[in-house]
Amino acid sequence: MITVENLTKRYGGYTAVDDVSFTVRPGAVTGFLGPNGAGKSTCMRIVCGLTPATSGRATVLDRPYAALPNPGRHVGVLLDASAQHAGRTGREVLTLGAVTMGLARTRVEELLDLVGLTDAEAGRRIGNYSLGMRQRLGIAHALLGDPEVLILDEPANGLDPAGIRWMRTLLRGYADQGGTVLLSSHLLHEIEVVADELLVIGRGKIVARGPKNELMQATGTTVRSTDDPAFERVLADAGLQSVTDGDGLRVSADPAEIGALAARHGVVLTLLAPAGSAGLEDMFLRLTAADAREEVPA
């Protein structure tokens, strides 16, 4: 469990995090979304005890991170995969972590195998690692102490498609066994696939939160028929707005309502589904438009 209460962080006259409160529950993956500079990394650093808050409180397992005994045994953290000693080997980094936490050396080999780093790769200096290899090593280090909580910032960065699927499966299994996962990512599709709950931050404030399914329902429905222009007129007559996208029509209503309307008018549907990634992207861009560096069209 992660609990954040009225968290604020100011740097001089700039407020990076503004009275933020949220809870990350066990047994779930919580996706933490926000544009660059919105405050999500600052929040995660405060939770991990790396940045002091100006006011408010953040606890992990009902304690501030710094008050946890042997914190690596309780909380696994990956905030920057590049922040690893370039002159050490992957095996050395994990071995140092194991010794610090009081773990058996055999745990190092277990984790190297789990994250898919070979003996040869584990023996190479980290300065010669690709970004994807650094991510795998960082995830191994986060999991080293078999923690109850994982806090991961952009863990899929640099991973190839097979690596992203591997990470998704790993996190899903971890949460299904009762673990708590706070996952930040710019890859909206990955968040959509793996997350149970969503937090969206913009300009230092939480602008949306809740179960993914509930938030995604609000993004509408994608529908395709044998005659989309005719069905657009049916939708308009029913007072429903629709826009054309690459998959068909996007409608601001739930699938059951759209299906019932089509049935009443004898319309043959070839696709009827929640808006999915496109809907999540639209919701994200709409809620965080004030924070975006690029202009977001209305």
Side-chain angles (χ1 to χ4, degrees):
M1 173 82 77
I2 300 171
T3 304
V4 171
E5 299 171 305
N6 305 114
L7 203 64
T8 296
K9 177 61 181 178
R10 298 189 184 92
Y11 296 95
Y14 172 68
T15 302
V17 177
D18 190 0
D19 195 29
V20 163
S21 298
F22 60 82
T23 299
V24 182
R25 64 180 178 86
V29 177
T30 297
F32 197 17
L33 302 173
N36 291 333
K40 62 183 186 300
S41 293
T42 302
C43 280
M44 297 174 91
R45 288 181 60 83
I46 293 172
V47 171
C48 296
L50 296 172
T51 297
T54 303
S55 62
R57 188 166 183 258
T59 59
V60 186
L61 302 172
D62 297 322
R63 298 187 188 188
Y65 182 90
L68 291 168
N70 201 351
R73 300 290 294 267
H74 303 283
V75 186
V77 178
L78 174 60
L79 298 184
D80 184 357
S82 296
Q84 302 177 41
H85 195 303
R88 293 197 176 116
T89 69
R91 183 175 280 107
E92 286 171 345
V93 166
L94 292 183
T95 299
L96 285 169
V99 170
T100 302
M101 295 180 211
L103 302 171
R105 303 278 182 111
T106 54
R107 181 66 176 159
V108 171
E109 301 308 317
E110 290 174 11
L111 266 298
L112 287 170
D113 182 60
L114 178 66
V115 302
L117 288 174
T118 66
D119 283 342
E121 290 168 339
R124 282 164 55 184
R125 297 189 187 280
I126 294 172
N128 296 320
Y129 275 17
S130 67
L131 178 56
M133 290 169 65
R134 288 176 187 247
Q135 292 285 23
R136 288 177 182 269
L137 180 64
I139 293 170
H141 201 284
L143 293 169
L144 192 59
D146 194 19
E148 301 156 69
V149 177
L150 283 179
I151 299 173
L152 308 174
D153 193 3
E154 302 290 349
N157 230 5
L159 294 179
D160 59 19
I164 291 173
R165 174 173 286 189
W166 160 80
M167 187 199 67
R168 182 196 306 159
T169 302
L170 179 75
L171 296 182
R172 183 71 268 156
Y174 180 89
D176 288 346
Q177 292 175 15
T180 301
V181 181
L182 179 60
L183 170 67
S184 166
S185 179
H186 285 103
L187 301 177
L188 297 186
H189 174 68
E190 288 311 308
I191 291 290
E192 181 202 348
V193 170
V194 76
D196 303 292
E197 301 188 0
L198 298 177
L199 292 167
V200 184
I201 189 170
R203 295 205 169 187
K205 291 181 176 289
I206 299 296
V207 295
R209 80 188 83 193
K212 178 188 66 179
N213 291 341
E214 291 183 10
L215 293 177
M216 292 292 287
Q217 281 177 2
T219 67
T221 299
T222 297
V223 62
R224 191 163 56 236
S225 72
T226 53
D227 188 347
D228 281 351
F231 193 43
E232 274 190 285
R233 292 190 291 273
V234 170
L235 292 167
D237 290 343
L240 296 174
Q241 294 182 338
S242 63
V243 295
T244 302
D245 66 18
D247 295 321
L249 301 175
R250 182 96 55 76
V251 188
S252 54
D254 63 59
E257 183 179 357
I258 301 301
L261 183 65
R264 286 199 301 272
H265 288 81
V267 176
V268 177
L269 299 182
T270 58
L271 175 67
L272 179 66
S277 299
L280 178 58
E281 181 181 86
D282 282 353
M283 179 188 75
F284 174 80
L285 293 174
R286 184 179 71 253
L287 292 172
T288 62
D291 241 12
R293 294 182 181 273
E294 293 79 17
E295 183 178 352
V296 179

